[in-house]
Amino acid sequence: MLEACYVSDVGRKRTLNQDSVFITTRSLGALPNLLLLADGMGGHKAGDYASRKAIEIIKDEISASQETDSVQLFTKAIETANTKLYEKSVQDSNYSGMGTTLVAACYMDDKLTVANIGDSRLYLIRENTMVQVTRDHSYVAEMIRSGTISQDQAKNHPRKNYITRAVGAFPRTTADFFYVDILSGDVILICSDGLTNMLEDEQILSDVYQEETLQEACAKLVRDANENGGADNISVILARPLSEQEDRCDD
């Protein structure tokens, strides 16, 4: 069983929330649970549409599919979402250039399967440490991996927000997959860059461990990100494995 909660906020600088989130701790198709977060890009209308529609399509594809393998489910659902969004962007100039990041995760048999496209992130929090599981598909992330710039230089790089892979931006896209063993006491954090651009890892860890519930921790993270500037939309999912005796906060 899984407990999962989220908060999504427009932030202090934007007028529209282009992030979209979906969570369920109940079965959806062959999956026992599903966590989805998308951060849209494009014009005022296009980014909002891209993130919302991507999650809608992926959710519907998984619900209707007879496939039981989570990787195959995610792959086919993401391909469908990418094709439909790209076709929409080609057919309607109002949506030209739109796309969205995506993190999709499912917890099953003490393991987490994660699909990632773009620079939204999934972290594993364990014993007061925070490890990024996903790899950013962004211009600066590639420069960091190649040793061209440092982590500190990346924070203020002029192309910091330029992502190299997205759902709907190109005729085809590919997700990276990650597999994580989940232990009792672990916390899963999924977030848009509106959180990580505003808060350092130490602050995020403090907020997660300081609050009594995941819902309170989500609210605290978003509140602190806004207090630090709130320069973008902020979306946070927190989840943890749950024993049969415990209640779930999204019931």
Side-chain angles (χ1 to χ4, degrees):
M1 298 175 67
L2 191 72
E3 175 186 13
C5 307
Y6 80 92
V7 173
S8 185
D9 188 81
V10 70
R12 291 190 168 180
K13 305 294 186 182
R14 304 294 178 89
T15 58
L16 178 70
N17 191 349
Q18 294 187 323
D19 291 355
S20 295
V21 180
F22 172 80
I23 64 172
T24 180
T25 58
R26 302 186 184 280
S27 297
L28 186 72
L31 300 183
N33 50 72
L34 181 62
L35 310 174
L36 298 172
L37 185 147
D39 179 357
M41 64 181 192
H44 187 73
K45 182 191 297 185
D48 169 62
Y49 178 88
S51 64
R52 179 168 40 83
K53 195 66 176 179
I55 282 186
E56 178 185 311
I57 294 167
I58 290 167
K59 183 177 65 172
D60 290 347
E61 287 291 312
I62 289 173
S63 179
S65 177
Q66 300 301 309
E67 177 64 62
T68 58
D69 180 79
S70 57
V71 173
Q72 291 301 315
L73 266 173
F74 282 157
T75 299
K76 292 176 181 177
I78 290 168
E79 286 176 352
T80 300
N82 187 78
T83 297
K84 290 184 177 181
L85 287 178
Y86 182 74
E87 289 176 350
K88 177 76 170 179
S89 73
V90 171
Q91 294 164 2
D92 189 337
S93 61
N94 289 320
Y95 299 93
S96 178
M98 73 173 169
T100 183
T101 70
L102 177 73
V103 178
C106 175
Y107 172 69
M108 189 185 324
D109 300 327
D110 298 325
K111 295 183 184 298
L112 192 72
T113 301
V114 184
N116 179 64
I117 296 175
D119 64 354
S120 294
R121 295 175 177 176
L122 185 145
Y123 291 89
L124 179 67
I125 297 174
R126 175 182 293 167
E127 296 179 349
N128 209 37
T129 62
M130 178 171 154
V131 177
Q132 183 178 341
V133 173
T134 53
R135 283 165 51 101
D136 293 352
H137 301 134
S138 69
Y139 181 77
V140 296
E142 291 177 1
M143 293 178 73
I144 292 169
R145 288 193 285 267
S146 69
T148 306
I149 62 173
S150 67
Q151 289 278 1
D152 286 340
Q153 289 172 322
K155 290 179 181 179
N156 297 308
H157 196 280
R159 300 185 71 181
K160 177 181 178 180
N161 296 321
Y162 182 81
I163 63 174
T164 56
R165 203 185 300 184
V167 180
F170 307 101
R172 293 180 181 81
T173 196
T174 305
D176 287 345
F177 282 90
F178 306 88
Y179 311 93
V180 186
D181 291 326
I182 302 296
L183 306 178
S184 177
D186 287 351
V187 176
I188 300 153
L189 164 65
I190 304 174
C191 61
S192 59
D193 63 355
L195 179 76
T196 51
N197 285 341
M198 294 293 103
L199 299 180
E200 298 292 340
D201 290 2
E202 293 78 9
Q203 181 68 57
I204 293 172
L205 277 171
S206 175
D207 285 355
V208 169
Y209 284 117
Q210 178 179 321
E211 300 300 324
E212 291 188 6
T213 70
L214 292 187
Q215 193 69 61
E216 290 170 338
C218 279
K220 172 70 169 164
L221 287 166
V222 170
R223 187 163 61 249
D224 285 350
N226 273 321
E227 288 178 358
N228 278 6
D232 198 354
N233 306 146
I234 310 156
S235 293
V236 179
I237 299 172
L238 289 174
R240 68 180 180 99
L242 200 61
S243 70
E244 293 291 337
Q245 289 74 33
E246 293 177 285
D247 292 329
R248 293 175 295 191
C249 73
D250 68 333
D251 277 350

